[in-house]
Structures are given as structure tokens and as C-alpha cells.
Amino acid sequence: MKICLKFLCLFLCHAVFYNCSNDNKPGTENPVVETNAPACQTANELSNAYTTFFKPTSAWFGDPMPFYENGIFHIFYLYDARNTLPTFHPWYKVTTTDFATFNDNSEMIATGTVTDQDGALGTGSVFKLNGIYYAFYTGHNGILDPKEKIMLATSTDLKTWTKDPSFLLQASFGYDRNEFRDPIVIEDKITGTYKMLIATRSEVGLVSDGNVPWRAVIAQYSSTNLKDWTLEKPFYEDTTTFITECPDVFSMGDYQYLIYSNIDDRMVHYKYRLLTANTWITPVNNTLDGIAFYAGKTVTDSINRYIAGWCPTKNKNSDAAIFDWAGSLVTHRLVTHPNGTLGIAIPNGVDNKFIVNEALNAKIGFGTTKQGDAYTLKGNGAEKAFSVFDRETGAFKIKTHIKAISSTQFGFEFGACDTRNEVFAIVFDLAKNQLRLDKVIKNASSLNVTQLPLNVPANKEFDVTIISENSVCVIYINDEIAFTNRIYKMNQNPWAIFADNGEVTFSDLKIFK
């Protein structure tokens, strides 16, 4: 995926601006805040280490390109230094065995010079054939025409890479030569050939449509040797978005899946079809997380399949600001259902990383009855029930089982502080079948930041796991939903559970480090 001023404009379209309350005033900005600190804290994000949601030490994590071999996940990524250099986004690599701990392998493929086609590197993929690793990547240079071409580097050890200057694949006639990126190579075992799929735009579609001459297309090329490529008919087209970025295609069970990132709504989508069919099925809920998870690409160890993407930072580390490009690595485990639809679950390695149970200390509350590790909240409509817990630092896990007895709106608050004048709330809205991130200001209307569809079981019960590290928060529900968000006020400030109305029980509520 290329990066240019266009992305800043796109993020501006999705920005939400808020008025600040007194709860947002900076505290001491210490790296670690004392438990009984009186004010809300504004921690210095630059001093925070990310060991669960990986980021490089002095930069940020862009588009992941995962590759698996011999028990190790090699996650290549675009290194976002956020400097003013005219060349940017070299390929770096991080390795992991469990998506919970990481080893940074530093730079793999360097950028070219300011006049080279790969003055900036873009997304691609790694494929192995006959002992050689092929890294197909996007060469992007805004001063050239075409701006984008597909380029190649090879390796024999996944560590040392050599660029192949003889390989340059540019858009064929009828395709957009300046929007031609994110190659992925898959093997077609039926024909014994290899397919390269490329995100682009085209006036050559699967079906002639005079009303939409240009549309988002995943172009398809074929090869027998990974060097010589022949254009075939488009693999997929979409008239609803400008371009379908970072495509990924794989098979699980009886189905083939297509995953892509929609540049317009900033979300990762999927479609599926029977291996014997040509028509794609669009599920009712076709997103794989919210707007704070992008450029998702998958990888399998032959047991589980995972999807890795990035959670963006926000400008100036402010909840009121717009999203930046790049941030921290977030990885989910994909779950398949008999009807072909996908669910999202926490990777076992991440879940098992947090095993030390720490005591919960409810500081203040209203309308709450506690029995052991169970908290029953009864909101009366006029005033919500809540329990506020001590501030947490670093990385931690919250687990609970929620039973909605009569409540239709409940959830978790972050950045609660002592006053709860202004919080960021993860809201389970059973009346609207929504999972939302709202900014809630006392005695004022709530402001919705983002939302996802929420499947409400007949028993209205939810198994919930929340993983938080610094300002990244991921909530997993019933092995169905992952909801990733960047919440700066969450870091080093108290949190709470709440019920706006009716009765709800948070049973077995625990926190782990």
C-alpha cells in the first residue's frame, strides 16, 4: 500500500473532534503513575514500549506481510520512521512463534534512491519456490510515471535479500498505471501455475458496465516460473470503493476466502465462496474488526489461520485528533463456521501470556452488588450503575462472562478517573445490535467514535476478553468479534464497568498481568 497526502485526506474524513473537559488536563506525565494519583494522566506515548502489540523501538509498524516456516512466523512490515526523508518505508521484519512475544530483525529490503522506482517501498508478499524466497513488493515513486510498479527481491535464508533489477511489472493496458500495488502470489494446484493478484483500478471488468467505466479491480497474472507473468481476466472487481488494498486469498475447508482493505471506509472486509463456485458471497457482517485495524493479511501454521493488521496512532497522541498511518501490530485468530462465515478470536499465545491474577479494587460505585468475583449492576435509567477500579499500567488482560438479565446497554469505561466526567465507553447496545466506542461526557450527549454489528445470542450471554497495552485496546467477544481501538486516555487511568439501564451481571471478573 502506498502512502501519500491522499491518505491524510482520507483520515480527515473519518476524524471526530471533541471538546476537552477538565479530566483531560495533563497529569505528571510520568512513565508509571502511582495507584493513588489524584488526577487523570496524559502519559507520554513515546516512552512506552509495546511488547504485545509490537512496534519497532523508534518508529511505527505499517502493513504486515506474514510468512510462516518451521514453527516461526516471519512478519515483514513497512517501517514508518515519520521523518522528512524523500525515501521511506523500507521492509523490516519481526519474528514470533505465538504473536505474544517478538524478535525484531531490523531492515530486510532497503529503499532505493530518490529517483529510483522504489524510492518508497510498498506492500507485497513472500513466496517460496525451490529453496528460493521471492519477495514481490510495490515500488512507489510519486515523481515518476508510472508511480507504481511491482518489483522483486530474492533470498536463500529469509535474512539477506538481493533486489532483481531485471524484474519490473507495470500495469497492463486498461489498468491504472499509478494505482498498481500490493501483490500476492498463490499457487493454483489444479493448473500447476502461480497466480499474482494485484490491487489496481481498471476499465476492463469482469462484466461490461458502461455506467462505471473505472472500478476497483484485483488484477490477475499467471506464471510457471515466478519471473514471466501473463495477464488473465480480473480476479475480482468492486464498484463500491476506489481500490481494494492489500488483497489476500486462501482456502479453508470447503471455501475460498478473499480479504481486502477498503480504502474508503478504512476497514478490512471479506467475501467467500465454495471451492466449486465462481460467485462470491458477501456475509451480513463482512468486516473483520473496526476502523482501527487496517491492512489485514493472513498466515497459517497448518493448524490455525491468523490475520495481522495495524492499529493506527493518532496525531499528537490525542484522542481528539485524526488517525495517523501505521501504529502497532494487532493479530487475531480466524474461526470458520459450517456455513463458511468467519469469526474472530484471541490467539492462544496472547491469551496465555497474561496468567497472573491480580486483585481487583473497586474504588467507587453505584447500583452495584458484589459477590465473590461477580458484580451485578442495576441501572435505573435516570442514573447508570457502575464500579470504578484502580488505574492500570503497561499491558493487562480483563476477562469476564456477561449475562444481560434485563439491561440493554452496558459495558466498559476507560479513562474513568475519579470524576467520570469524561470516559471512553465500549458499549454493548442490545437494542440496536451494536458494539460501539462512545465518548461519554457527563450531562451531555454521547459522541460515537465507531461501531460494529453485534450478534446478540438468545441467552444474552457474552464471554469477553480485553487485552490492553498502553493506548491499544482489543476486545474479543464469543469468538465472533474483535474490536480494536486506540484510546490514549485508557493508559494509566482507572477503568469501570457500567449498566445504563436494567440489570446485568459481570461474573468471574478478573484482571491478569
Side-chain angles (χ1 to χ4, degrees), residues 222-492:
S222 65
S223 174
T224 59
N225 59 11
L226 300 186
K227 290 294 186 72
D228 304 300
W229 294 90
T230 302
L231 179 66
E232 296 188 355
K233 67 178 182 180
F235 182 81
Y236 172 79
E237 66 175 22
D238 194 323
T239 59
T240 66
T241 184
F242 181 81
I243 193 169
T244 49
E245 295 192 296
C246 302
D248 191 12
V249 176
F250 59 90
S251 298
M252 293 177 69
D254 296 329
Y255 295 93
Q256 184 183 55
Y257 295 86
L258 166 64
I259 290 177
Y260 62 87
S261 292
N262 185 319
I263 197 172
D264 293 327
D265 68 13
R266 306 303 302 170
M267 300 177 78
V268 179
H269 295 260
Y270 84 96
K271 297 176 184 290
Y272 68 103
R273 63 187 178 188
L274 284 166
L275 293 173
T276 56
N278 294 320
T279 303
W280 291 104
I281 300 170
T282 303
V284 174
N285 179 16
N286 60 81
T287 58
L288 297 172
D289 210 325
I291 62 171
F293 179 87
Y294 199 69
K297 299 287 286 288
T298 75
V299 64
T300 183
D301 58 3
S302 298
I303 300 174
N304 292 300
R305 183 169 287 270
Y306 304 89
I307 182 168
W310 46 261
C311 175
T313 56
K314 285 191 171 184
N315 190 254
K316 297 182 179 179
N317 301 326
S318 169
D319 285 311
I322 65 172
F323 281 122
D324 300 312
W325 187 89
S328 303
L329 169 65
V330 174
T331 305
H332 309 312
R333 178 168 56 89
L334 292 177
V335 177
T336 56
H337 300 135
N339 66 354
T341 57
L342 294 176
I344 297 288
I346 185 172
N348 291 332
V350 177
D351 195 21
N352 295 333
K353 181 176 181 177
F354 301 89
I355 59 174
V356 179
N357 182 203
E358 295 200 348
L360 275 176
N361 177 27
K363 301 175 63 177
I364 56 174
F366 173 80
T368 301
T369 302
K370 181 180 183 298
Q371 186 173 5
D373 292 326
Y375 294 75
T376 299
L377 282 63
K378 295 182 180 180
N380 59 25
E383 187 169 359
K384 68 174 60 178
F386 65 90
S387 284
V388 177
F389 301 95
D390 279 341
R391 68 181 77 241
E392 299 293 337
T393 61
F396 58 91
K397 176 176 73 176
I398 298 170
K399 286 186 76 73
T400 188
H401 179 84
I402 300 175
K403 169 67 174 178
I405 300 167
S406 60
S407 179
T408 61
Q409 192 158 293
F410 51 86
F412 302 84
E413 295 177 347
F414 295 104
C417 303
D418 290 331
T419 63
R420 295 180 58 254
N421 284 338
E422 177 183 294
V423 301
F424 287 89
I426 303 292
V427 182
F428 291 67
D429 190 331
L430 275 54
K432 296 182 178 179
N433 289 346
Q434 284 184 342
L435 181 67
R436 297 197 305 270
L437 174 65
D438 286 350
K439 183 170 186 179
V440 182
I441 302 173
K442 189 174 291 186
N443 300 322
S445 299
S446 299
L447 299 171
N448 175 241
V449 180
T450 183
Q451 69 279 322
L452 287 177
L454 176 66
N455 179 35
V456 180
N459 61 10
K460 298 181 183 179
E461 296 187 25
F462 305 89
D463 285 314
V464 177
T465 301
I466 298 175
I467 304 295
S468 171
E469 183 173 34
N470 301 321
S471 57
V472 176
C473 174
V474 184
I475 180 169
Y476 295 95
I477 304 170
N478 288 348
D479 286 352
E480 286 289 335
I481 295 175
F483 192 34
T484 301
N485 285 285
R486 177 80 66 171
I487 307 171
Y488 288 97
K489 199 182 179 190
M490 173 181 65
N491 185 21
Q492 302 191 42

Side-chain angles (χ1 to χ4, degrees), residues 4 26 33 56 83 108 112 133 159 171 269-270 402 450 458 465 471 504 507:
C4 59
V33 180
N83 54 35
M108 295 287 110
Y133 302 94
K159 298 177 181 178
H269 295 260
Y270 84 96
I402 300 175
T450 183
T465 301
S471 57
V504 61
S507 62

Side-chain angles (χ1 to χ4, degrees), residues 84-293:
T84 58
L85 294 178
T87 60
F88 52 94
H89 290 168
W91 275 32
Y92 273 52
K93 188 182 77 171
V94 63
T95 56
T96 182
T97 59
D98 57 6
F99 300 105
T101 56
F102 300 89
N103 292 309
D104 196 348
N105 289 232
S106 193
E107 186 175 83
M108 295 287 110
I109 306 175
T111 62
T113 68
V114 68
T115 59
D116 288 336
Q117 181 66 55
D118 58 353
L121 270 60
T123 308
S125 62
V126 174
F127 191 88
K128 185 181 181 181
L129 179 63
N130 298 328
I132 303 297
Y133 302 94
Y134 293 78
F136 293 96
Y137 64 93
T138 307
H140 174 85
N141 194 323
I143 67 173
L144 300 180
D145 185 5
K147 293 180 181 179
E148 295 183 336
K149 294 182 181 180
I150 306 306
M151 304 180 72
L152 172 64
T154 59
S155 174
T156 59
D157 59 5
L158 286 173
K159 298 177 181 178
T160 302
W161 294 86
T162 303
K163 293 182 181 180
D164 183 348
S166 69
F167 185 92
L168 278 176
L169 178 62
Q170 70 179 66
S172 302
F173 179 78
Y175 291 84
D176 190 337
R177 64 183 183 275
N178 294 317
E179 307 282 352
F180 192 72
R181 57 182 177 269
D182 306 344
I184 179 173
V185 175
I186 59 176
E187 183 179 4
D188 186 341
K189 295 183 178 180
I190 296 177
T191 63
T193 61
Y194 305 97
K195 307 292 186 181
M196 182 185 292
L197 308 180
I198 300 172
T200 183
R201 291 175 53 74
S202 177
E203 58 183 353
V204 181
L206 290 166
V207 178
S208 178
D209 186 348
N211 295 322
V212 188
W214 284 85
R215 74 287 306 277
V217 166
I218 298 177
Q220 182 174 213
Y221 292 78
S222 65
S223 174
T224 59
N225 59 11
L226 300 186
K227 290 294 186 72
D228 304 300
W229 294 90
T230 302
L231 179 66
E232 296 188 355
K233 67 178 182 180
F235 182 81
Y236 172 79
E237 66 175 22
D238 194 323
T239 59
T240 66
T241 184
F242 181 81
I243 193 169
T244 49
E245 295 192 296
C246 302
D248 191 12
V249 176
F250 59 90
S251 298
M252 293 177 69
D254 296 329
Y255 295 93
Q256 184 183 55
Y257 295 86
L258 166 64
I259 290 177
Y260 62 87
S261 292
N262 185 319
I263 197 172
D264 293 327
D265 68 13
R266 306 303 302 170
M267 300 177 78
V268 179
H269 295 260
Y270 84 96
K271 297 176 184 290
Y272 68 103
R273 63 187 178 188
L274 284 166
L275 293 173
T276 56
N278 294 320
T279 303
W280 291 104
I281 300 170
T282 303
V284 174
N285 179 16
N286 60 81
T287 58
L288 297 172
D289 210 325
I291 62 171
F293 179 87

